[in-house]
């Protein structure tokens, strides 16, 4: 049995945990980062790596925008294998109703100093000639980007390590609480704060957490450079992400720097097994083919699944747990973990050190759960 | 919506090498409706690959006739990529997706060469042992070309003999196994008269060719294409100018489909009972995926699987004794051609281990597992899906591969997205070659 | 033996029927593809599993040329 004293023990070395490790280490805290697997091997490895502003709620916008800015600041320091590209997002409108949504978003973002451009059908076709020609138009958000998450997570973790953080990888965690992380081999790690950044596995460590697994599927093609230039998302995606109970698919494709095309997306509740769900995969790919018919002939090389950590109000939990004062939460990021990881880390570290957060943090506090929400 | 052909069989055989052909013929002779699918444009698999310009190899002729007589439905150019439900395989041809429905399935998916990396192994004209042979059979002129054959396994001599017959100049055959091990293997052949005849024939074919044991390639050299190979022999290095290096380190089983179906795997091979049944109901496996044992064993296992699937169990039992003998040969094979430890030291820091994604040896050293390395470097994420770098990294670093997900072979997105065209499957016309 | 003609990177190559596209590229002196790191690559496995022999055949990218028989008039590109 061995014990060690740290200021912060972070359980979960995905992008959120790794970003938190870096941020805490940067502020002079003694950090240990624990994971049952390698760095970035969970949802971080499965996700699309899309850095995107979202406007589902004021709080979601604030966190994604803040965090996106942090990624832009970090960009010059990112290693080449993090593959950061500011390729922009185009929200694709297939009909007039969706074009109205395009204009609403354009106005919303304009009021908040996010540069966007309304594209008519022709402009859209010029930017993305492989989109089905019947699209009505779209919204270009040029500051959005993409990156390769496992390497970005590794970078954050290594930065933390350079500042003195320690790793305990390949170590399964049995229990956290009362200033301890208990590993499956019986050993304990003592820390003033224990951060639960375990994503979809967070409820196993902090019972009662209202986090549900939301399974997603992804498919990647062989190299077809230039086929798609921006991250393309159908506006119907928002309907899919909104739904709290039913399975859904939405068109969502991303150009990888390798020239491969990454194809998503799907959401399922209640699916616990990791295997590819053939029925959902077929739906997702048929949807993709409707938007980009050229995808049909492309060689696909891999499919995989992942579990997002979803909260009932679609906002992450960032802050002290209401149950155990030594346990802090940095989890529940659903499909925005990559984007909001850096902002999450800042907000968490601010709270721990008593520093003033740069955005209002009430919407993300674990203590909000059970209280009435006020949406903008 | 893509048109999806749907084929229904009582017994479906995947893989048309010796095991698959034998299984399909025997099942067909039992009177059941049999399908036989293979990725290649012709039947025969690897070992019975015919010369493109000629007819089938003599050893295959008898089985082809039996297949024809049994009215077996061969579908060539068909690649299986998924097994979404029991009784269904999804596949594609060059143009369309197709669905294969079966009551019983016989996996005869064969084996592929094991490639071990060494400096320069990615130069054009460095190929597998079977690789060069396949290209020669498919039209590559080899007359007057200088070839070094290296690696390990009985395939080396077979390839060397074939190349020589086509006029290649064999600079050397380098077998990494020691003379001791080969001698013991030779003794094991004593129990297999047919194999002795084969061995003697090979000896004759290769008279005058330099043959070295305890010898392996240390580097392939050349500017943009292979120009020479340096080989290690008795602690000394020797450089041989050559046009082609034909290099493979024995065989690894193609177990991807078996894994996808959930078949139990033991020590990298598919576990089968006496009747060639896997742990999954209605799924059989025959030939190299159950253990590398060569053509003879593949034929017997294929026949047993075919007969059992056709409910001729007694006839299958008649073959058990023969199979036992051939399995002894397979065990001797495995012992003789074990890879020596020195081969782990061949790659230099810059040697590409993952060819698809160009990941060098030095980048992989720090990772404790296949999965960690894959996520950080993309090793194994390319279109070969780890078929080349997987066995190499398993040998170099003791990494175990990931679980298998569809598509088990790269497939067009429209094929992944296809549903069966109708709930009532229709029998399609035979389209395959011979 | 009658031969058939196809083009590899615009250059005409005559081959015997039953020749695969991979061999045609080799006869034309062309590497099959360029690796991620910029190096020339040729066929390796000869049986369609290594994907080193990928090339664009009649406009379709990533064809495994060792598994594809030459046809008259085929347009093969290894340089895109």
């Amino acid at each position: 049995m061995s014990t060690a004293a740290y200021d912060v023990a972070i359980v979960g070395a995905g992008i959120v945990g790794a970003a938190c490790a870096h941020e805490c280490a940067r502020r002079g805290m003694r950090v240990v980062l624990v994971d049952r697997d390698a760095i970035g091997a969970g949802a971080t490895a499965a996700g699309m790596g899309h850095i995107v502003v979202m406007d589902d709620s004021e709080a979601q916008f604030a966190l994604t925008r803040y965090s996106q800015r942090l990624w832009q600041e970090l960009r010059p320091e990112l290693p080449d294998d993090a593959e950061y590209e500011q390729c922009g997002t185009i929200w694709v409108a297939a009909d007039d109703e969706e074009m109205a949504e395009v204009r609403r978003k354009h106005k919303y973002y304009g009021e908040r100093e996010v540069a966007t451009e309304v594209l008519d059908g022709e402009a859209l076709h010029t930017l993305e000639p492989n989109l089905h020609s019947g699209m009505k138009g779209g919204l270009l958000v040029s500051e959005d980007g993409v990156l390769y998450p496992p390497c970005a997570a590794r970078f954050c973790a290594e930065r933390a390590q350079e500042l003195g953080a320690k790793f305990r990888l390949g170590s399964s965690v049995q229990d956290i609480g009362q200033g301890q992380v208990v590993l499956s081999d019986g050993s304990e790690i003592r820390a003033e704060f224990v951060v639960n950044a375990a994503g979809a596995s967070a409820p196993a460590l902090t019972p009662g957490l209202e986090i549900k697994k939301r399974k997603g599927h992804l498919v990647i093609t062989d190299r077809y450079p230039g086929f798609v230039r921006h991250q393309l998302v159908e506006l119907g995606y928002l309907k899919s992400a909104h739904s709290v109970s039913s399975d859904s698919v939405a068109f969502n494709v991303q150009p990888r720097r390798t020239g491969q095309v990454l194809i998503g997306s799907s959401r399922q509740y209640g699916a616990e097994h990791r295997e590819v769900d053939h029925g959902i995969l077929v739906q997702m790919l048929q949807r993709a083919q409707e938007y980009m018919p050229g995808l049909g002939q492309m060689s696909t090389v891999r499919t995989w699944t992942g579990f997002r950590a979803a909260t009932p109000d679609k906002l992450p939990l960032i802050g002290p747990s209401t149950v155990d004062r030594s346990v802090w939460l940095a989890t529940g990021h659903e499909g925005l973990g990559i984007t909001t990881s850096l902002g999450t880390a800042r907000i968490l570290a601010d709270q721990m050190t008593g520093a003033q957060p740069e955005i209002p943090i009430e919407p993300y506090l674990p203590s909000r759960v059970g209280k009435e929400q006020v949406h903008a | 919506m893509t048109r999806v052909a749907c084929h229904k069989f009582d017994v479906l055989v995947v893989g048309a090498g010796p095991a698959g052909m034998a299984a399909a013929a025997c099942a067909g002779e039992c009177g059941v409706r049999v399908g036989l699918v293979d990725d290649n444009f012709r039947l025969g698999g690897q070992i019975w690959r015919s010369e493109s310009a000629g007819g089938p190899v003599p050893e295959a002729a008898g089985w082809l006739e039996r297949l024809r007589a049994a009215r077996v439905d061969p579908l060539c150019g068909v690649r299986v990529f998924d097994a979404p439900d029991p009784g269904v395989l999804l596949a594609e041809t060059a143009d369309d997706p197709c669905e294969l429905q079966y009551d019983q399935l016989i996996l005869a998916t064969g084996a592929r060469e094991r490639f071990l990396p060494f400096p320069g192994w990615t130069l054009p004209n460095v190929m597998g042992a079977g690789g060069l042979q396949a290209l020669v059979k498919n039209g590559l002129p080899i007359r007057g070309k200088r070839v070094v054959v290296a690696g390990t396994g009985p395939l080396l001599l077979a390839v060397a003999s074939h190349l020589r017959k086509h006029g290649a100049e064999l600079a050397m055959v380098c077998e990494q196994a020691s003379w001791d091990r080969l001698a013991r293997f030779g003794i094991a052949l004593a129990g297999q008269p047919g194999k002795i005849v084969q061995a003697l024939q090979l000896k004759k074919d290769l008279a005058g060719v330099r043959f070295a044991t305890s010898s392996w390639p240390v580097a392939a050299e050349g500017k943009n294409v292979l120009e020479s190979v340096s080989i290690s022999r008795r602690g000394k290095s020797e450089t041989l100018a050559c046009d082609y290096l034909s290099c493979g380190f024995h065989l690894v089983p193609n177990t991807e489909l078996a894994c996808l179906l959930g078949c139990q795997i033991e020590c990298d091979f598919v576990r089968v009972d006496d009747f060639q049944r896997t742990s999954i109901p209605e799924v059989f496996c025959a030939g190299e995926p159950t253990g590398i044992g060569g053509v003879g064993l593949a034929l017997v296992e294929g026949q047993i699987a075919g007969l059992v699937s056709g409910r001729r169990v007694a006839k299958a039992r008649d073959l058990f004794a023969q199979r036992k003998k051939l399995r002894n040969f397979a065990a001797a094979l495995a012992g003789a051609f074990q890879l020596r430890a020195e081969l782990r030291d061949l790659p230099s820091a810059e040697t590409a281990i993952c060819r698809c994604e160009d990941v060098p040896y030095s980048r992989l050293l720090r990772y404790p597992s296949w999965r960690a390395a894959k996520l950080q470097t993309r090793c194994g994420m390319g279109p070969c899906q780890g078929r080349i770098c997987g066995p190499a990294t398993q040998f170099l670093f003791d990494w175990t591969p990931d679980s298998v997900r569809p598509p088990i072979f790269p497939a067009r997105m429209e094929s992944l997205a296809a549903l069966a065209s109708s709930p009532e499957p229709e029998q399609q016309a035979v389209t395959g070659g011979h | 033996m009658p031969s058939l003609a196809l083009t590899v990177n615009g250059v005409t190559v005559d081959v015997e029927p039953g020749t695969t596209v991979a061999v045609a590229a080799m006869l034309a002196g062309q590497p099959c593809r360029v690796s991620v790191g910029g190096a020339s690559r040729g066929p390796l496995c000869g049986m369609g599993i290594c994907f080193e022999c990928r090339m664009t055949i009649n406009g379709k990218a990533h064809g495994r040329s060792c598994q594809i028989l030459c046809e008259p008039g085929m347009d093969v590109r290894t340089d895109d």
Side-chain angles (χ1 to χ4, degrees):
Chain A
M1 289 263 219
S2 71
T3 63
Y6 293 92
D7 299 314
V8 193
I10 299 170
V11 177
I15 192 116
V16 171
C20 289
H22 179 217
E23 192 60 38
C24 291
R26 217 167 59 86
R27 302 195 195 194
M29 291 188 245
R30 292 165 304 159
V31 177
V32 62
L33 182 59
V34 185
D35 198 294
R36 65 186 168 200
D37 203 334
I39 292 169
T44 296
M48 273 183 128
H50 187 193
I51 311 261
V52 58
V53 289
M54 293 281 273
D55 59 302
D56 195 39
S57 64
E58 216 42 62
Q60 191 187 66
F61 170 76
L63 185 59
T64 54
R65 178 58 165 169
Y66 173 47
S67 209
Q68 182 191 64
R69 285 233 158 95
L70 293 173
W71 277 113
Q72 287 167 349
E73 275 169 33
L74 190 61
R75 182 187 186 170
E77 301 170 49
L78 288 172
D80 203 53
D81 61 7
E83 294 181 359
Y84 185 108
E85 296 286 346
Q86 193 170 303
C87 58
T89 305
I90 298 179
W91 292 92
V92 179
D95 56 32
D96 291 329
E97 190 190 341
E98 291 180 2
M99 266 321 275
E101 175 63 11
V102 162
R103 285 186 279 271
R104 186 204 65 76
K105 281 165 90 76
H106 176 64
K107 182 165 181 290
Y108 179 96
Y109 285 128
E111 287 162 2
R112 289 159 182 76
E113 291 169 27
V114 176
T116 66
E117 191 187 325
V118 174
L119 307 169
D120 64 12
E122 207 184 306
L124 177 63
H125 190 74
T126 305
L127 286 180
E128 291 288 353
N130 291 310
L131 266 175
H132 188 276
S133 55
M135 293 296 135
K136 279 278 189 273
L139 185 75
L140 171 63
V141 185
S142 49
E143 284 189 66
D144 285 351
V146 303
L147 52 67
Y148 180 61
C151 290
R154 187 204 77 239
F155 167 75
C156 291
E158 283 175 352
R159 272 289 173 91
Q161 200 177 37
E162 284 161 26
L163 295 165
K166 303 277 184 261
F167 296 163
R168 287 292 289 271
L169 303 174
S171 297
S172 239
V173 172
Q174 196 171 279
D175 197 26
I176 63 173
Q178 278 133 39
Q180 303 201 106
V181 175
V182 180
L183 302 178
S184 304
D185 66 4
S187 62
E188 293 158 12
I189 301 173
R190 296 195 152 278
E192 196 190 334
F193 300 124
V194 177
V195 178
N196 185 345
S201 301
L205 297 175
T206 302
L209 269 192
E210 287 248 34
I211 284 179
K212 288 200 165 38
K213 287 180 172 170
R214 240 175 150 192
K215 186 174 181 181
H217 287 71
L218 282 159
V219 175
I220 197 163
T221 69
D222 203 332
R223 288 167 157 85
Y224 296 89
F227 181 81
V228 59
R229 298 92 187 261
H230 307 78
Q231 177 112 14
L232 301 178
V233 195
E234 61 158 296
L235 278 159
Y237 176 91
L238 299 171
K239 300 190 197 92
S240 164
H242 279 180
S243 162
V244 291
S245 57
S246 57
D247 298 349
S248 57
V249 301
F251 168 71
N252 192 343
V253 307
Q254 177 186 105
R256 279 269 166 101
R257 189 191 284 174
T258 57
Q260 292 170 284
V261 180
L262 185 54
I263 306 166
S265 62
S266 77
R267 282 178 157 77
Q268 290 165 275
Y269 269 128
E272 290 289 323
H273 64 92
R274 305 207 76 94
E275 276 94 59
V276 170
D277 273 290
H278 180 73
I280 293 279
L281 187 76
V282 165
Q283 273 183 59
M284 185 178 91
L285 294 179
Q286 286 184 356
R287 187 74 175 157
Q289 230 179 312
E290 282 166 35
Y291 277 78
M292 295 190 101
L295 286 171
Q297 286 301 307
M298 285 164 64
S299 176
T300 62
V301 171
R302 271 172 24 250
T303 64
W304 65 92
T305 65
F307 291 104
R308 306 174 184 85
T311 57
D313 65 3
K314 300 179 211 70
L315 294 170
L317 298 159
I318 312 171
S321 136
T322 53
V323 170
D324 181 330
R325 278 174 26 183
S326 70
V327 174
W328 288 61
L329 304 175
T331 185
H333 293 81
E334 221 269 354
L336 292 170
I338 311 300
T339 301
T340 61
S341 54
L342 299 185
T344 297
R346 286 278 174 103
I347 289 171
L348 188 81
D350 286 339
Q351 293 178 68
M352 283 176 175
T353 59
Q356 177 63 33
E358 291 172 89
I359 61 171
I361 60 167
E362 288 74 24
Y364 324 112
L365 293 177
S367 54
R368 77 183 188 269
V369 176
K371 294 193 186 140
E372 291 232 46
Q373 304 298 318
V374 178
H375 287 285
Chain B
M1 188 75 77
T2 329
R3 191 191 80 90
V4 184
C6 193
H7 307 259
K8 181 148 177 45
F9 304 106
D10 298 322
V11 175
L12 171 63
V13 180
V14 177
M21 289 171 73
C26 289
E29 286 158 1
C30 296
V32 295
R33 186 165 54 175
V34 178
L36 177 59
V37 300
D38 197 291
D39 177 34
N40 291 291
F41 46 81
R42 286 225 188 139
L43 302 180
Q46 306 315 316
I47 194 109
W48 282 351
R49 181 185 294 274
S50 47
E51 316 260 331
S52 280
V57 303
E59 300 90 319
W63 290 102
L64 285 168
E65 186 43 50
R66 285 176 70 171
L67 285 170
R68 253 192 293 271
R71 289 214 269 259
V72 171
D73 191 0
L75 296 168
C76 291
V78 173
R79 270 176 311 287
V80 173
F81 64 83
D82 196 4
D85 293 304
V88 182
L89 294 182
L90 298 179
E92 63 170 20
T93 65
D95 301 308
D96 297 301
C98 70
E99 182 172 306
L100 305 164
Q101 295 182 10
Y102 61 87
D103 293 329
Q104 295 181 91
L105 178 63
I106 301 178
L107 303 175
T109 46
R112 61 186 186 276
E113 289 191 88
R114 180 193 280 112
F115 293 96
L116 295 182
F118 50 87
W121 77 299
T122 54
L123 281 169
N125 295 346
V126 175
M127 297 180 214
L132 180 59
Q133 184 180 47
L135 278 139
V136 169
K137 287 187 176 183
N138 289 335
L140 183 70
I142 201 80
R143 187 162 296 281
K145 300 287 184 188
R146 217 166 124 82
V147 183
V148 172
V149 178
T152 203
L155 189 55
L156 297 192
L157 293 181
V159 166
S161 162
H162 177 255
L163 294 175
R164 204 183 197 205
K165 284 204 187 95
H166 281 72
E169 184 199 320
L170 288 176
M172 194 156 172
V173 179
C174 305
E175 164 60 68
Q176 60 91 35
S178 67
W179 178 246
D180 266 351
R181 279 196 187 267
L182 289 184
R184 270 180 270 147
F185 175 61
I187 290 163
L189 288 184
Q192 327 263 347
K195 300 236 173 263
I196 295 186
V197 171
Q198 259 179 46
L200 289 173
Q201 183 59 47
L202 281 175
K203 193 163 189 286
K204 192 159 155 268
D205 293 341
L206 294 169
V209 174
R210 283 182 74 196
F211 178 78
T213 57
S214 297
S215 174
W216 54 87
V218 291
E221 295 115 359
K223 194 151 175 293
N224 292 312
V225 82
L226 178 70
E227 288 162 23
S228 64
V229 177
S230 290
I231 58 122
S232 162
R233 189 172 170 230
R234 300 203 205 117
K236 288 200 278 215
S237 180
E238 189 182 334
T239 300
L240 303 161
C242 59
D243 300 303
Y244 295 103
L245 171 58
S246 180
C247 180
F249 291 87
H250 203 33
L251 301 173
V252 291
N254 293 326
T255 53
E256 291 77 19
L257 183 51
C259 287
L260 187 66
L261 289 161
C263 300
Q264 206 187 339
I265 307 289
E266 215 171 66
C267 303
D268 297 335
F269 291 99
V270 182
R271 184 136 188 268
V272 289
D273 67 9
D274 280 343
F275 299 103
Q276 306 296 143
R277 281 190 292 236
T278 69
S279 58
I280 299 293
E282 316 303 343
V283 178
F284 297 78
C285 188
E288 309 285 62
T290 69
I292 305 297
V295 176
L297 181 56
L299 285 170
V300 172
E301 290 196 355
Q303 290 173 77
I304 292 171
L307 289 166
V308 176
S309 72
R311 315 253 186 267
R312 298 252 171 94
V313 178
K315 247 188 135 187
R317 278 188 201 278
D318 288 345
L319 292 163
F320 282 16
Q322 206 183 341
R323 180 178 59 188
K324 187 156 189 267
K325 233 166 89 165
L326 289 163
R327 281 199 172 146
N328 292 338
F329 171 68
L333 254 187
F337 299 105
Q338 259 174 54
L339 299 175
R340 57 203 306 154
E342 293 94 318
L343 299 173
R344 287 196 180 89
D345 300 327
L346 293 182
S348 71
E350 306 84 40
T351 305
I353 307 299
C354 169
R355 296 175 66 119
C356 295
E357 300 296 322
D358 241 349
V359 185
Y361 183 67
S362 57
R363 277 193 77 197
L364 296 177
L365 281 170
R366 78 184 81 159
Y367 297 106
S369 68
W370 167 258
R371 185 164 154 72
K374 194 170 89 156
L375 289 177
Q376 291 296 323
T377 68
R378 285 213 169 81
C379 175
M381 282 191 178
C384 94
Q385 301 179 324
R387 282 181 173 83
I388 304 297
C389 57
T393 53
Q394 202 171 345
F395 176 65
L396 290 172
F397 307 122
D398 221 15
W399 288 347
T400 43
D402 257 346
S403 61
V404 169
R405 284 188 304 267
I408 58 168
F409 205 79
R412 290 181 301 278
M413 203 193 82
E414 62 164 19
S415 300
L416 260 68
L419 284 171
S421 53
S422 62
E424 290 305 312
E426 320 128 37
Q427 181 69 339
Q428 296 294 307
V430 171
T431 52
H434 65 275
Chain C
M1 175 72 107
S3 73
L4 62 96
L6 64 157
T7 59
V8 178
N9 297 340
V11 176
T12 302
V13 181
D14 289 296
V15 300
E16 290 178 5
T19 302
T20 56
V21 176
V23 171
M26 290 175 78
L27 291 172
Q30 300 291 307
C32 295
R33 69 179 195 98
V34 175
S35 75
V36 166
S40 295
R41 294 283 175 87
L44 175 71
C45 76
M47 56 185 280
I49 56 143
C50 73
F51 285 79
E52 289 283 37
C53 68
R54 281 173 289 160
M55 43 187 83
T56 300
I57 299 170
N58 288 346
K60 236 168 139 184
H62 300 300
R64 289 172 301 147
S65 57
C66 75
Q67 296 288 85
I68 297 171
L69 289 169
C70 293
E71 280 165 25
M74 238 178 192
D75 172 39
V76 177
R77 305 227 68 105
T78 70
D79 53 359
D80 57 0

